[in-house]
Each structure stands twice: as structure tokens, then as C-alpha cells.
Amino acid sequence: MLPRRSHELPPTAGLPLRLSDLRPGAATLAADIAAQLGTPPLQLECSGTASLLIALTALHELQPQRRRVVVPAFTCPLVAIAVQQAGLELQLCDLRAGHYDMDPVALRAACDERTLAIIPTHLAGRVADVDDALAVANNVGAYVIEDAAQALGARRAGVSVGLAGDIGFFSLAAGKGLSIYEGGLLLARDPKLHEQLARTAARIVPHRFGWEWKRSIELLGYAALYQPRGLRLAYGNPLRRALRRGDPVSAVGDDFPLTIPLHRVGRWRQAVGAHAATRLPAFLDQLSAQAQRRLPRLRLIDGIEVLDDPAGAQGTWPFLLLLLPDQKRRDAALAQLWQAGLGVSRLFIHALPDYAYLADIVPAQDVPHARDFAARSLSISNSPWMTDDDFETICRTLEAVLI
Ligand SMILES: *Cc1c(COP(=O)(O)O)cnc(C)c1O
């Protein structure tokens, strides 16, 4: 195992907050991001999961006879929790072999006249194949919701992700790029659907001052600790403790509560987000340039596959997602790197059917490609705090494992 250092790199490249971001100000976060992205108005919610829950609730009101929601079998457990909390049925779709997209054949088999929505997912900032989901959705009369939780700022043909499908959402959770500790942004191409989302939220989302108070304190903690020294305390030490206990699910924060809170986001957190958002375009450009510089080095390593965007797409780069040839070598790499403070980690530990705590809400299903993806993937942070020396250390360690 590599020696541990006094500072710790985060697993994803979040935009660090500054003290001056914490001053009060105008609650213009959603409008400012919409202007940056060139989208129709965005609707701010208290999390990405809450955004998805509101989207599903609104769509179910439009199509009450349809209850099934088709999701990739390798995605965030919160997606399964949102489907459950909306009172709908989860339907898994296996991935394409060695890819984050849903398999086109499996997708067609999973969808029929009972399908309410299909959720293509822009995983790791990579741009997903929304067109295939749209083709299937049009055929069976379902909606498409783009899960862009990890892809705020990603574009296809110059247009923000989230606008090809009927609805899209972004996450503003801690560590996912721009953060107000917990938050989400909802997007609909069609103004009528946008109004429907606003009506649904007005009906089901209450003011809950206790939650907003808690999130405000958490945001202060995040602002203070999201730097290489603070992260050792807030991220690295708990990670290493969980790994020593043999609990990788908790190590990467995959152990979510089975109900998620719904409440309105207060003005102060919106102002903090709006202040930080002024730095977001330059930050995303910086990450993209750093990724483009580092990808060729990784690709020189025999046996490593780095996930990239399809032609014409410009994703975002919170981290680099790799596939190693097999689980044995992936695990050997992690044995060296996971606890080293270098920002090397895993995305989601399991395919959705393999989380014990989700057994009651995820159907047991054989999803070999999703399982293979979970077994062979690892992530390398694209944080600007990672130096070229750090990155070279990671590359050499991977080379040693792959010989
Ligand atoms: C994080 C995440 C979500 C949920 O977003 P939160 O803001 O954390 O609730 C949904 N889907 C994917 C793919 C995610 O990574």
C-alpha cells in the first residue's frame, strides 16, 4: 500500500467554496445556472433525488395507468429509492458490455405499454445515448428522464444535456461539482411539462425549517473542510475506517436512507450557490483541459480502458472512470491506491440488485454486464489539487499491477 499523506484528495472534483461565497445575496442560483447553460428555466429542489421524485410524480399524474420506470442496473442507489418513494415499480436494464449505456436489446425487452419513463444516465460526466432511449420511448409511449446528476455542464452538439429527453435533472450534492451541500435542478424542454413540474413541487414539497437549518450547517462544514487538509478528516479517515471494517458500501457513501426528505431550499443556500456559480464555467473548462492532458497518459497503459464521450459530445470531468481487464487486477490496484489519499476510489460498489439493504425495493435480476462494470471499474479524481506527480504515481501503480 502506498504511504498515506497529510493531505487528502477528494474522489471527485467539486468546486471549492470561498469564505466570500457565504455572504448573503440574491437567491438567483437556478436562474444563473440556466443562463450559463442556455436552458429554459431550471427548478431548484432540495436534492437530485427529490428532483427525480417530483419528475416521476408529475409524469405519473399524466399517465396514471403506467407504473414502470426503467433504469440502468449500474447507477446510484438513490435512483431506486426515488422510484420506490414515488410509489412506482423499478425495472432494471442491463448495460452494454463494458459501457455505461443501457444495452439496446435489453432496453427494448424491458419496455412496453406499462413503462412510464426510461432514465438514460450521464454517468461520471460522460454523455449517455439518449437517442436510443427516445427511440424506444416513442415506440411504447413512455417518457425519457435524463439523469444528469453527475453531468452539470455536459453538452451534446453544443446543447446542455437534459434537453433531448422530456425531463432532465442535475445534482448539487456535496462533491458533485457545484454544491449547496444538497440540491437538485430540474429541467423540461416543453413549457407545459415545466409548468406541471412546478405544480407538482408546489403541491408535495413543504417548507421544513429544521431540514433547511441542518443543510445550512452542513454547507458551512463543507465550505470549511473541502480542502486537502480538511478532507482527510471529513472524507479520508471515515473511508479508511469503513474499509478496515470491510464495508465498502459505506466507504463510498452508497448506504443511503430509504426515504429522502422533501423540503424547499432557503434563500441563503441559494445565494451561496449563486456566488460560487460565477466560477463554474472557468472551473469546468479547467477540469476538461486537465482531463484531456491526462487521458493520453492513461491510454498508454496496456489493459486500461478509459471511458470517453461519443462523437459530438463534450462531457464534464469530475473524475476519470476506468475499466481494468478483470476484478482481480482492479482489486490489486485498489489495494495500493484506495487508502492512499490520492483520490482513487470506486463509483458505485455494486449493480443495483447486489446491495443487501435495497433487497426489498430492487428486483432480483441477472444483470451480468452491470455486475462486470461494478467489478472492473475504478475512478481517479480529476480534482485540480491532484498534481502531475500524484497522477504519475497513480499511473505507475496501475502499470505495476497490469504487468
Ligand atoms: C448522486 C446521484 C443521484 C442523486 O442525486 P442527489 O443530489 O445526491 O440526491 C442520482 N443519480 C446519479 C447517477 C447520481 O450520481
Side-chain angles (χ1 to χ4, degrees), residues 47-49 75-76 78-79 121 147 149-150 169 171 173 176 182-183 348:
S47 65
T49 314
T75 190
C76 182
L78 286 165
V79 171
T121 301
D147 181 343
Q150 301 186 1
F169 69 94
S171 167
K176 281 196 191 167
E182 288 281 8
F348 308 119

Side-chain angles (χ1 to χ4, degrees), residues 235 238-240 242-243 245 247-255 338 345:
Y235 165 70
L239 167 90
R240 285 178 280 271
L243 288 177
R245 288 200 305 276
D247 186 356
V249 170
S250 123
V252 302
D254 267 359
D255 49 347
W338 206 353
S345 187

Side-chain angles (χ1 to χ4, degrees), residues 74 94 350-351 353-354 365-376:
F74 182 77
D94 201 3
H350 297 302
D354 299 331
Q365 191 179 317
D366 192 24
V367 285
H369 294 157
R371 286 185 168 131
D372 174 65
F373 201 95
R376 290 199 290 125

Side-chain angles (χ1 to χ4, degrees), residues 71-126:
V71 313
F74 182 77
T75 190
C76 182
L78 286 165
V79 171
I81 291 170
V83 172
Q84 152 83 10
Q85 201 165 331
L88 299 169
E89 276 170 42
L90 192 68
Q91 170 91 44
L92 302 180
C93 180
D94 201 3
L95 303 184
R96 274 169 60 188
H99 202 276
Y100 53 88
D101 273 327
M102 290 181 279
D103 177 72
V105 175
L107 185 58
R108 280 155 183 80
C111 294
D112 58 24
E113 72 292 341
R114 292 169 291 184
T115 307
L116 176 66
I118 304 171
I119 309 190
T121 301
H122 303 288
L123 203 68
R126 310 279 50 77

